[in-house]
Amino acid sequence: MTIYLQLYWEFFKTGLFAIGGGMATLPFLKDIGASTGWYTYSDLMNMLAVSESTPGPIGINMATYVGYLVGGLPGAVIATLGEVTPSIIVILLIAVLLKNFQDNQYVNWAFYGLRPASTGLIGGACVAVMLEVLTFVHISAGGIVNTFGLERGQIFNLPALALAAVLLVLTNWVKKVKEWHPIVFIGLSAVVGVIFHFGGV
């Protein structure tokens, strides 16, 4: 029972501060993994890829994924409930109090301050993802950059950079490809990842 309460509490805190969308939860998810040992940072990147590939909000997908990983089906349900509970409470409060506070200058100032905070959270998450995926720089709980993985004699992950560059060109400048459904790119990227992995690239 303790693990389920912990799952609920950890994701309740994550949902409470998920201002700016699911990507803003990544720093909190990183902290959960570091403090509980439920998953590594590499596991988190894999979970992010799966959550981005499946329908639904990324924060909820991540909560469900981690909950299932830690506590099976009940864990998935409890972690998801923990993630959405703060949003439900806030929406209900806003629905009741909106008319009283919609023109309040202090509320407007608070939202003005929240915008750069959520931008910073999302920006930090993006930098962490890019370092993990496109380089051999490893992220640890002790700091942004812990060690340089130079086992291949290089800092940059050249196959990953090449794949990112190809996807960027195809999705932005090749007219026919721009009309493809996103699931096609997800599928092709998965196939390339399997080839890279088993080919030792």
Side-chain angles (χ1 to χ4, degrees):
M1 187 57 131
T2 307
I3 192 70
Y4 296 129
L5 289 173
Q6 190 178 4
L7 272 170
Y8 184 87
W9 174 239
E10 292 293 343
F11 282 98
F12 181 89
K13 290 186 293 182
T14 302
L16 189 61
F17 296 103
I19 299 162
M23 287 299 286
T25 65
L26 275 182
F28 299 100
L29 291 168
K30 178 185 168 188
D31 185 60
I32 290 172
S35 61
T36 62
W38 289 340
Y39 50 86
T40 65
Y41 195 75
S42 293
D43 293 335
L44 179 60
M45 293 301 100
N46 292 333
M47 286 188 276
L48 176 63
V50 171
S51 297
E52 285 279 26
S53 310
T54 51
I58 183 172
I60 294 174
N61 288 351
M62 294 284 277
T64 306
Y65 194 107
V66 173
Y68 186 79
L69 188 71
V70 174
L73 189 58
V77 172
I78 288 167
T80 304
L81 285 173
E83 179 80 19
V84 300
T85 300
S87 299
I88 292 169
I89 293 169
V90 169
I91 288 168
L92 291 174
L93 286 173
I94 288 173
V96 171
L97 303 173
L98 183 61
K99 287 188 178 178
N100 296 333
F101 290 102
Q102 63 184 354
D103 296 321
N104 187 300
Q105 189 62 45
Y106 295 106
V107 173
N108 291 335
W109 288 344
F111 280 115
Y112 184 79
L114 286 172
R115 285 187 208 123
S118 63
T119 302
L121 285 171
I122 294 169
C126 288
V127 169
V129 170
M130 286 174 59
L131 284 174
E132 179 71 19
V133 174
L134 301 179
T135 72
F136 292 116
V137 176
H138 301 289
I139 312 298
S140 75
I144 295 176
V145 178
N146 183 30
T147 57
F148 289 87
L150 298 178
E151 65 275 4
R152 298 190 185 190
Q154 58 194 15
I155 293 175
F156 294 103
N157 185 341
L158 297 180
L161 281 170
L163 179 59
V166 167
L167 287 172
L168 184 66
V169 169
L170 289 176
T171 55
N172 286 286
W173 293 293
V174 179
K175 190 173 181 181
K176 281 190 176 181
V177 175
K178 285 170 75 171
E179 298 170 1
W180 289 2
H181 194 277
I183 195 69
V184 175
F185 293 105
I186 292 168
L188 289 174
S189 298
V191 169
V192 172
V194 169
I195 292 169
F196 280 5
H197 178 74
F198 289 106
V201 179

